[in-house]
Amino acid sequence: MTSVLIVFRKEFRELALSRSTVAIGILFALLFGAMYSLRLTADMPLALDLSLGSLLFFLTMLIGVFLGYSYCSQTFLREKTDLVIETLLCCPVGLRELWLGKTLAVTLFAHVLAIGGGILTALVTSARLGTLVVPNPAVILYLVFVLPLVIACFVGALGFAQLLLGMKENRIIAMALFIPIFAGLYGLGYSATGVFVVTWARVGILALAAAAVLAGIWWASRFLSRERIVTSLS
């Protein structure tokens, strides 16, 4: 675990100290937070707290997935393009620990910004409607505990592929994985806001599914090897 913490601190510090990285995250959260907040009106078929809950459910996931995709390219792939990964492979850190530390750093950073975008959306919505709107408890549980699991699934899968595959394959995989997920979340968010109820059962099912996917990626990480990574640089 010490190796994981060292990698995590290094990657998180680099993300936090990058002005462009932080600026992109904040701008994206503000942009989509403002767009989604306009979807919520007082005449929604659901109560305002349930409508806000469905909005935050999809909005924070959308922000988290987009930022996870952006930061993966910086944390995993750029080290291969700059050939920094060869230096890291000489360090006494296992490849699983390297993958896990990077995944945790990107996940936490994306999660914090996604939560910030959600809070801003809730405040703007409350101010616009003239009443304090608070999401139901199932949504709060989702935002705090389940959302980072969902982001980690996407980040972990993409990071694993970026370590394992070559440059050309990575471009194809990233687009094939990112575009359908992003487009699907965006479309679902717009159509479901105000009609989709975030329940305890749905949050629980999502948490179990995300945990199962993460367990599968962790198992697959055993196939990472220094030889595979080095040969993928060419």
Side-chain angles (χ1 to χ4, degrees):
M1 288 303 295
T2 303
S3 299
V4 175
L5 287 175
I6 292 173
V7 175
F8 166 79
R9 289 172 182 170
K10 169 189 172 295
E11 299 297 345
F12 189 86
R13 184 172 180 272
E14 289 182 358
L15 288 171
L17 293 178
S18 173
R19 293 183 180 179
S20 60
T21 297
V22 175
I24 290 173
I26 293 175
L27 287 175
F28 188 85
L30 289 174
L31 174 63
F32 278 86
M35 290 174 58
Y36 266 67
S37 65
L38 297 177
R39 295 283 298 168
L40 202 62
T41 60
D43 58 352
M44 286 282 189
L46 296 177
L48 282 177
D49 60 333
L50 298 179
S51 297
L52 178 64
S54 66
L55 183 150
L56 294 179
F57 182 86
F58 291 103
L59 171 66
T60 54
M61 195 183 300
L62 181 74
I63 295 174
V65 166
F66 176 83
L67 295 181
Y69 170 80
S70 301
Y71 299 152
C72 265
S73 298
Q74 176 178 336
T75 304
F76 287 93
L77 196 57
R78 196 174 71 177
E79 289 184 345
K80 296 181 76 173
T81 58
D82 295 344
L83 301 181
V84 179
I85 192 70
E86 292 181 319
T87 303
L88 290 176
L89 293 178
C90 297
C91 300
V93 179
L95 292 179
R96 272 188 163 183
E97 288 75 19
L98 185 69
W99 167 80
L100 181 58
K102 288 175 174 288
T103 298
L104 290 175
V106 173
T107 297
L108 178 60
F109 204 78
H111 180 232
V112 169
L113 289 173
I115 291 293
I119 292 174
L120 179 63
T121 300
L123 293 176
V124 170
T125 300
S126 297
R128 186 168 55 83
L129 297 179
T131 181
L132 180 63
V133 186
V134 179
N136 52 315
V139 176
I140 296 176
L141 177 70
Y142 158 78
L143 292 174
V144 176
F145 297 107
V146 183
L147 177 61
L149 289 178
V150 175
I151 298 173
C153 286
F154 182 80
V155 172
L158 189 56
F160 172 77
Q162 288 176 341
L163 284 176
L164 187 67
L165 302 177
M167 301 304 178
K168 184 183 296 183
E169 293 85 353
N170 266 311
R171 295 189 190 97
I172 298 173
I173 289 293
M175 289 294 101
L177 183 66
F178 172 71
I179 293 177
I181 293 177
F182 185 81
L185 287 175
Y186 184 80
L188 282 173
Y190 254 72
S191 60
T193 297
V195 295
F196 178 84
V197 179
V198 181
T199 62
W200 293 107
R202 286 173 172 169
V203 171
I205 291 172
L206 183 60
L208 290 176
V213 171
L214 280 175
I217 301 172
W218 171 256
W219 176 84
S221 66
R222 61 190 289 193
F223 297 108
L224 290 172
S225 68
R226 285 172 165 79
E227 292 77 12
R228 283 176 179 266
I229 295 175
V230 171
T231 56
S232 70
L233 298 177
S234 56

